[in-house]
């Protein structure tokens, strides 16, 4: 009775192989689970006469033992030892091995968000070298010969005469874009910049900047203001107010610092904004006609605006980080706070 069937199952068990967990699972489904062929044999017990039950039961139990013994062997061979428990049995209800998932560094997340906002209003991305010549980092940008930024204390020089230095801003990238391309130019230049400064909670010798540049016919200060209004509301929330304070940069005229209403107190005054209600997020201005001419753009025909922001500064405001050094120390207790929720 069922003899051939049982012999066939035994042969199948003996021949079974598994080199992956998938194959192991297939084996389990076929020979171990309730609905397996072995399970079916047990089900058949109910339909069998009393006299035959003893003998049949013995045979079926033998098959079951063979199936389980083989299963253990296959588990060993697949090497899924981790799921094994003390009694040598596999607990398939255990959760899978925890795969640690990293998070996006807050500086990366901030940069990505800034890029996204400007890409949606027609800015492209530009990149350039971190090691620059004097022309692209200073001279083309209208820095006078004796400007303090050109001093050894402020800039990391690699060579002198001719001067080669680590770029101090990503404006150098935009000079390269203007030299190469004709207006209309709408470009965003994020990147690493270097200044010879002592490291503290508020300053680092390596940090990140994003600069924007728009050059075309009839680009006005109104365009500059509206673009940065839009950015501030997208980045910090639609209640955010923006204020422009007159300033000076060698490469823009007129120039303005960009302030936003304090995110923490909403403008009422707190520690973060030093009770002024405003925090600075960057600088901006109309591109100086000299800079356009230096880059081969006719300043009679074209005008432009530009702005620059520190990515660390934006991230600190957004995530309420109070020490710049946290970005580079890679302390796991800091980084883990930016992990996605599992
Ligand atoms: C700041 C100020 C600024 C620019 C960057 C720029 C670039 C070109 C021409 C003119 Cl090619 N200007 N960039 C303009 C004004 C301010 O950055 O506080 N950055 C962190």
């Amino acid at each position: 009775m069922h003899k051939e069937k049982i012999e066939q199952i035994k042969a199948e068990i003996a021949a079974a192989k598994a080199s992956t967990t998938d194959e192991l699972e297939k084996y389990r489904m076929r020979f171990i689970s309730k609905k397996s062929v072995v399970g079916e044999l047990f089900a058949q017990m109910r339909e069998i006469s009393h006299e035959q039950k003893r003998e049949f039961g013995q045979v079926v139990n033998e098959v079951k033992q063979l199936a389980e013994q083989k299963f253990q062997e296959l588990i060993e061979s697949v090497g899924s030892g981790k799921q094994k428990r003390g009694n040598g049995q596999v607990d398939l209800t255990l959760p899978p091995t925890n795969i640690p998932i990293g998070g996006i560094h807050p500086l990366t997340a901030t940069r990505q968000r800034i890029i996204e906002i400007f890409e949606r209003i027609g800015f492209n991305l530009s990149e350039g070298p971190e090691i620059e010549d004097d022309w692209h980092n200073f001279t083309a940008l209208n820095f006078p010969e004796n400007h303090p930024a050109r001093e050894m204390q402020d800039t990391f020089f690699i060579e002198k005469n001719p001067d080669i230095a680590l770029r101090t801003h990503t404006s150098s990238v935009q000079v390269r874009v203007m030299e190469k391309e004709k207006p209309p130019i709408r470009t965003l230049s994020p990147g690493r910049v270097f200044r010879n400064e002592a490291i503290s909670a508020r300053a680092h010798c390596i940090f990140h900047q994003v600069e924007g540049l728009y050059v075309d016919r009839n680009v006005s200060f109104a365009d500059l203001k509206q673009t940065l209004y839009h950015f501030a509301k997208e980045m910090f929330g639609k209640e955010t107010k923006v204020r422009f304070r007159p300033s000076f940069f060698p490469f823009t005229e007129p120039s303005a610092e960009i302030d936003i209403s304090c995110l923490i107190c909403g403008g009422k005054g707190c520690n973060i904004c030093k009770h002024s209600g405003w925090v600075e997020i960057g600088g901006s201005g109309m591109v100086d006609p000299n800079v356009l001419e230096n880059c081969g753009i006719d300043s009679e025909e074209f005008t432009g605006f530009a702005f620059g922001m520190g990515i660390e500064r934006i991230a600190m405001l957004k995530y309420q980080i109070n020490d710049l050094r946290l970005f580079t120390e890679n302390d796991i207790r800091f980084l883990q706070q930016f992990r996605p929720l599992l």
Side-chain angles (χ1 to χ4, degrees):
M1 152 250 9
H2 299 302
K3 272 243 163 64
E4 295 118 66
K5 178 115 193 267
I6 283 168
E7 286 311 313
Q8 191 201 325
I9 293 172
K10 279 184 179 172
E12 236 186 287
I13 289 171
K17 284 195 174 68
S19 53
T20 65
T21 47
D22 266 3
E23 285 167 1
L24 198 60
E25 176 61 5
K26 279 206 187 94
Y27 177 91
R28 190 188 68 84
M29 296 290 279
R30 177 127 179 89
F31 300 108
I32 306 285
S33 77
K34 266 226 164 66
K35 288 181 186 160
S36 68
V37 286
V38 181
E40 258 171 46
L41 292 178
F42 276 100
Q44 282 168 20
M45 290 263 251
R46 267 179 269 128
E47 295 146 27
I48 277 169
S49 65
H50 248 336
E51 307 83 72
Q52 289 181 312
K53 224 169 216 159
R54 219 180 113 87
E55 193 193 339
F56 187 66
Q58 255 174 11
V59 174
V60 170
N61 268 320
E62 196 188 312
V63 175
K64 186 184 171 207
Q65 263 171 24
L66 277 174
E68 279 173 357
Q69 196 185 332
K70 180 74 180 202
F71 191 41
Q72 289 308 321
E73 284 170 32
L74 293 179
I75 288 168
E76 300 288 333
S77 72
V78 170
S80 61
K82 276 179 206 147
Q83 294 207 347
K84 221 160 74 175
R85 284 203 153 168
N87 60 8
Q89 289 233 302
V90 168
D91 182 352
L92 292 157
T93 66
L94 279 176
T97 317
N98 185 32
I99 302 162
I101 295 178
I104 294 176
H105 192 281
L107 281 183
T108 307
T110 305
R111 187 189 62 228
Q112 283 173 347
R113 180 72 187 121
I114 297 171
I115 290 171
E116 191 176 75
I117 293 169
F118 282 103
E119 275 189 336
R120 287 182 63 179
I121 54 171
F123 282 73
N124 64 14
L125 275 189
S126 46
E127 284 185 292
E130 292 180 348
I131 299 172
E132 267 297 3
D133 50 37
D134 174 87
W135 171 257
H136 291 97
N137 197 70
F138 293 123
T139 305
L141 288 159
N142 216 28
F143 278 79
E145 205 59 65
N146 59 355
H147 193 281
R150 293 175 180 248
E151 299 285 320
M152 301 283 284
Q153 306 94 277
D154 296 311
T155 303
F156 289 115
F157 285 96
I158 288 174
E159 279 170 34
K160 290 295 261 175
N161 288 321
D163 290 355
I164 304 289
L166 298 181
R167 68 182 180 196
T168 57
H169 43 208
T170 55
S171 314
S172 54
V173 178
Q174 304 185 313
V175 168
R176 289 177 179 277
V177 172
M178 285 193 283
E179 284 174 335
K180 227 172 90 205
E181 289 166 30
K182 284 192 182 57
I185 292 169
R186 276 195 300 268
T187 197
L188 199 69
S189 320
R192 203 151 62 135
V193 299
F194 309 84
R195 290 187 196 170
N196 193 355
E197 287 192 58
I199 295 169
S200 73
R202 320 182 104 247
H204 210 292
C205 58
I206 302 174
F207 58 102
H208 298 79
Q209 234 199 357
V210 53
E211 290 210 11
L213 173 74
Y214 182 11
V215 182
D216 201 354
R217 294 186 181 85
N218 300 317
V219 175
S220 73
F221 203 87
D223 298 317
L224 161 66
K225 288 176 75 175
Q226 205 57 46
T227 303
L228 291 166
Y229 281 151
H230 173 74
F231 167 73
K233 286 171 197 294
E234 285 291 308
M235 189 77 200
F236 300 107
K238 61 180 191 304
E239 305 305 323
T240 311
K241 291 187 195 64
V242 182
R243 166 177 98 164
F244 290 90
R245 255 181 312 117
S247 184
F248 175 83
F249 301 108
F251 31 84
T252 47
E253 183 62 34
S255 308
E257 308 284 346
I258 315 154
D259 293 348
I260 59 165
S261 51
C262 181
L263 299 168
I264 309 302
C265 64
K268 286 193 194 76
C270 69
N271 275 335
I272 304 288
C273 61
K274 298 195 199 79
H275 299 279
S276 72
W278 297 93
V279 288
E280 187 183 319
I281 61 163
S284 64
M286 300 306 293
V287 180
D288 191 300
N290 288 339
V291 174
L292 294 174
E293 295 291 339
N294 286 341
C295 302
I297 291 173
D298 183 353
S299 64
E300 296 289 328
E301 191 178 355
F302 296 103
T303 53
F305 71 71
F307 57 87
M309 294 179 279
I311 299 179
E312 279 82 353
R313 183 159 179 79
I314 306 283
M316 286 168 96
L317 289 171
K318 207 164 160 60
Y319 299 115
Q320 296 180 34
I321 297 163
N322 58 15
D323 193 322
L324 202 88
R325 290 168 289 198
L326 288 164
F327 289 123
T328 42
E329 279 168 350
N330 287 339
D331 187 323
I332 203 79
R333 291 166 298 180
F334 173 72
L335 296 175
Q336 274 180 340
Q337 296 177 56
F338 301 93
R339 244 176 10 168
L341 297 174
L342 293 176

